[in-house]
Amino acid sequence: MNGVQIRSAERALSVGTWLIVCGAMLYSILTVTPLMSAHTPAKWGWTAPILPLVVDAAVVIVVRLDSVLARLGGHGGRWPIVLRWMTGTMTLALNTADSALQKDLVGVAVHSVAPLLLIVTAETGLAYRRAITAAVTALEARQRAEREAAQQAARERAEAARREAREEREHTATLVREQREHEARLAAEATEREERRRREEREDRAAREAAERAGRERREREREQRERDRERAEREAAERVARQARERAEAARREHAALLDGLPVNIKLPEDQARRIVAAAVAEGVSVRRAADLCGWSVGWVSARYAEYRDPGDGGAQLAIVSR
């Protein structure tokens, strides 16, 4: 429902209410005035219409002020309610008093129509006005909310447009800055790569020089180590040969001593044993006679063996073999 329809409903309610009020007032005046004339002194008969007018004026005040308060959304408290019901009750009593005194029930019913209609119309009009006021307030609140929402949406759209423009500017600035940073980074990376390449070349050259120097030093150490190993091996070999020679000499001396420490024999010993005894005697410088006594062979044979073993040729070799 729009504002035109609400105003039309309010006008219909107001016109209808005032028609009922005016009709009830006119009917009340016409009904109550004869009653007041009958119960008023003759010289004050002209005052008969005053009381219904006063009561009806109170009704007009109540209806009018209730409509204003309802339109404003206010509430008058308890006294307007008391005044409204008191005027309605007085109007009902004044309109039905004459018929009630005459015990005319039909007249009471007929004359109570207008006051009851007035009372109910006043209460109903007040309820209608309050309901219309609440509806109008809600409608205005909804319209105000819609306007505020539309304004808020417009502000948000404007803010979004400004934000988009700002973000676009910031994005453009960011792209430009990132492009500059990218170019600077590429230049820095190129410089760093060149510096790294030079550094790596220097390091490689230094590494090669160090490797060559280490190689030379290693080869020198290896050569020295080989020489030391060779010298040590030679010394060990010489020592081993000397030790073996000493061992052989010692073994030969022991063997010679064992062969030469025996007693003279009266029989010929086997030739190989006799040869060993002669060889030992030659090596130890024992006389031919002593050797002949030890092996049991003749002095001539022993002398011949002496000559063989003292000869530096095969005799020496045989002497060495015999000695071993």
Side-chain angles (χ1 to χ4, degrees):
M1 181 177 290
N2 53 29
V4 176
Q5 293 173 332
I6 292 174
R7 286 192 295 273
S8 176
E10 287 182 339
R11 282 196 299 271
L13 177 61
S14 180
V15 170
T17 300
W18 286 111
L19 285 176
I20 293 173
V21 169
C22 291
M25 288 175 59
L26 179 60
Y27 187 78
S28 178
I29 291 172
L30 295 177
T31 301
V32 176
T33 299
L35 177 63
M36 296 305 299
S37 298
H39 293 80
T40 302
K43 61 178 181 179
W44 297 101
W46 58 274
T47 62
I50 295 176
L51 182 59
L53 285 175
V54 170
V55 175
D56 293 337
V59 172
V60 171
I61 292 172
V62 169
V63 173
R64 178 58 181 168
L65 293 180
D66 284 343
S67 65
V68 173
L69 286 175
R71 189 68 181 86
L72 296 176
H75 192 276
R78 294 177 298 174
W79 289 110
I81 298 174
V82 172
L83 179 60
R84 188 168 56 250
W85 280 96
M86 186 178 66
T87 54
T89 304
M90 289 180 179
T91 302
L92 179 62
L94 291 174
N95 280 271
T96 59
D98 189 33
S99 299
L101 292 175
Q102 297 177 10
K103 297 182 181 181
D104 184 4
L105 298 180
V106 177
V108 171
V110 171
H111 288 92
S112 64
V113 172
L116 291 176
L117 184 60
L118 179 62
I119 294 171
V120 175
T121 300
E123 294 294 333
T124 304
L126 179 59
Y128 278 141
R129 286 189 178 90
R130 288 177 177 172
I132 291 173
T133 300
V136 170
T137 302
L139 178 61
E140 291 176 350
R142 185 169 61 253
Q143 292 175 351
R144 183 167 58 253
E146 291 176 354
R147 287 193 302 271
E148 291 177 354
Q151 294 174 358
Q152 181 65 25
R155 287 194 297 270
E156 290 178 355
R157 287 194 297 271
E159 181 64 24
R162 289 194 297 271
R163 185 170 58 254
E164 290 178 358
R166 184 173 63 254
E167 291 176 354
E168 183 66 23
R169 292 193 300 270
E170 292 176 353
H171 180 65
T172 302
T174 302
L175 290 178
V176 173
R177 184 173 63 255
E178 290 179 353
Q179 181 65 26
R180 289 198 299 268
E181 293 176 352
H182 180 66
E183 293 174 355
R185 186 166 57 253
L186 290 178
E189 290 177 354
T191 303
E192 183 179 357
R193 284 195 300 271
E194 182 65 21
E195 182 64 24
R196 185 168 58 251
R197 184 183 63 80
R198 294 177 181 175
R199 185 171 60 253
E200 290 176 354
E201 289 179 354
R202 291 194 298 270
E203 292 176 353
D204 291 342
R205 187 165 55 253
R208 286 195 300 272
E209 293 176 355
E212 292 175 357
R213 185 167 56 254
R216 288 194 300 272
E217 293 176 355
R218 185 179 62 257
R219 288 192 296 273
E220 184 66 22
R221 287 193 301 271
E222 290 176 354
R223 185 180 61 78
E224 293 176 355
Q225 183 66 30
R226 285 195 298 273
E227 291 179 356
R228 287 193 297 271
D229 293 342
R230 181 173 56 78
E231 292 175 355
R232 185 171 59 253
E234 290 176 354
R235 286 194 306 270
E236 291 177 353
E239 292 175 357
R240 186 170 56 255
V241 171
R243 186 172 58 254
Q244 290 175 356
R246 288 192 301 270
E247 291 176 353
R248 285 195 300 273
E250 182 65 25
R253 282 194 299 271
R254 287 194 299 271
E255 184 180 359
H256 293 169
L259 292 173
L260 298 176
D261 286 344
L263 297 175
V265 296
N266 296 321
I267 61 173
K268 284 184 177 181
L269 296 176
E271 184 178 356
D272 57 346
Q273 185 177 0
R275 283 182 176 273
R276 288 198 300 274
I277 294 172
V278 172
V282 172
E284 299 295 331
V286 177
S287 64
V288 173
R289 172 58 63 184
R290 175 65 178 168
D293 292 339
L294 292 174
C295 66
W297 287 70
S298 65
V299 174
W301 185 83
V302 173
S303 297
R305 303 288 82 75
Y306 264 67
E308 291 177 1
Y309 293 146
R310 287 174 179 174
D311 187 2
D314 292 339
Q318 292 173 358
L319 175 61
I321 294 171
V322 172
S323 298
R324 288 197 295 271

